Amino acid sequence: MLCLSLSGALLESACGSLPARGDDTAAQAGAIRAYQQQIQISGRITAHYQQNGKPQTLPAGFDWEQSAGGIVLTLYSPLGQTIARISQDAHGARLEQEGQSPRWAADLNQLAAEALGWPLPVSGLRDWLQGYVRQTDGRLQRLAAQDQTLDSEGWQLRYASWQDPPDFPKRIDLHRYTDEAGEVSLRIVIDQWKTP
């Protein structure tokens, strides 16, 4: 009888000290998918747009460096040559291209569109690449790691696939119409994430 009650007490104390499995998993997922002010991302982007009424396609690699103070986006040709380096900090937006003088502007998205010939929503990508969208009141909304389509900042976004945990986006398809570049489709595939 003493052995039975001792076994019951040990079992009760052992089980009582274990965290609930569901709570632990939810806490890990929340911690893993927290918005990162500082990240480095590498991947590929394919832009489909129109120039002078003719369809154009531009495949490129990219490196994205983000900090609380700014963004640096470098686009590479399939052969690894730098196409453009776009940056923004407290002083404004800057675009650098080989053989051309740097260009400055207050609006990052407009600068990118003028230089590239197609819109690249750099300011939105700050949130979208992490699986977040900014609400009209300025708050960030974390998206569920599932195939979904939504509208944000004039773009239709489709989160087509996600990385295994930590559940960052793997592929994002963007679409919109512009007078300058007609129907614009961007496919972004993320190959590598680095967080400090």
Side-chain angles (χ1 to χ4, degrees), residues 145-156:
Q146 62 188 22
D147 188 341
Q148 60 187 300
T149 302
L150 55 108
D151 293 326
S152 181
E153 299 180 29
W155 287 85
Q156 182 183 62

Side-chain angles (χ1 to χ4, degrees), residues 68-88:
I71 299 168
V72 177
L73 171 62
T74 307
L75 297 173
Y76 301 99
S77 74
L79 298 176
Q81 298 165 319
T82 301
I83 297 170
R85 185 172 188 266
I86 305 165
S87 58
Q88 182 170 23

Side-chain angles (χ1 to χ4, degrees), residues 43-63:
R44 295 163 280 141
I45 183 169
T46 303
H48 297 277
Y49 61 101
Q50 293 186 2
Q51 190 173 49
N52 300 323
K54 296 179 182 174
Q56 303 290 319
T57 299
L58 175 70
F62 74 89
D63 288 331

Side-chain angles (χ1 to χ4, degrees), residues 69-183:
I71 299 168
V72 177
L73 171 62
T74 307
L75 297 173
Y76 301 99
S77 74
L79 298 176
Q81 298 165 319
T82 301
I83 297 170
R85 185 172 188 266
I86 305 165
S87 58
Q88 182 170 23
D89 59 22
H91 304 293
R94 176 181 171 135
L95 183 131
E96 300 169 77
Q97 291 178 291
E98 186 67 36
Q100 298 181 23
S101 298
R103 296 172 66 177
W104 295 86
D107 184 270
L108 180 63
N109 292 339
Q110 185 63 35
L111 177 63
E114 287 172 5
L116 299 172
W118 45 276
L120 180 63
V122 180
S123 60
L125 289 172
R126 181 178 187 92
D127 304 326
W128 303 339
L129 289 172
Q130 296 190 55
Y132 282 79
V133 293
R134 196 161 297 275
Q135 300 298 305
T136 54
D137 63 5
R139 290 182 299 132
L140 283 173
Q141 175 188 348
R142 185 177 80 190
L143 301 173
Q146 62 188 22
D147 188 341
Q148 60 187 300
T149 302
L150 55 108
D151 293 326
S152 181
E153 299 180 29
W155 287 85
Q156 182 183 62
L157 311 176
R158 178 177 177 232
Y159 285 85
S161 63
W162 295 77
Q163 311 270 352
D164 287 331
D167 294 333
F168 287 116
K170 174 72 175 164
R171 190 181 107 203
I172 309 169
D173 299 333
L174 294 87
H175 181 81
R176 77 174 293 177
Y177 177 84
T178 67
D179 290 335
E180 301 79 22
E183 294 291 334

Side-chain angles (χ1 to χ4, degrees), residues 31-39 66-68 126 130 132 168 193-196:
I32 291 171
R33 279 286 309 283
Y35 186 84
Q36 304 291 318
Q37 287 293 338
Q38 194 166 356
I39 56 171
Q66 175 177 317
S67 66
R126 181 178 187 92
Q130 296 190 55
Y132 282 79
F168 287 116
W193 281 89
K194 289 183 190 175
T195 57

Side-chain angles (χ1 to χ4, degrees), residues 20-33 142:
R21 193 158 200 38
D23 294 342
D24 187 42
T25 304
Q28 286 177 357
I32 291 171
R33 279 286 309 283
R142 185 177 80 190

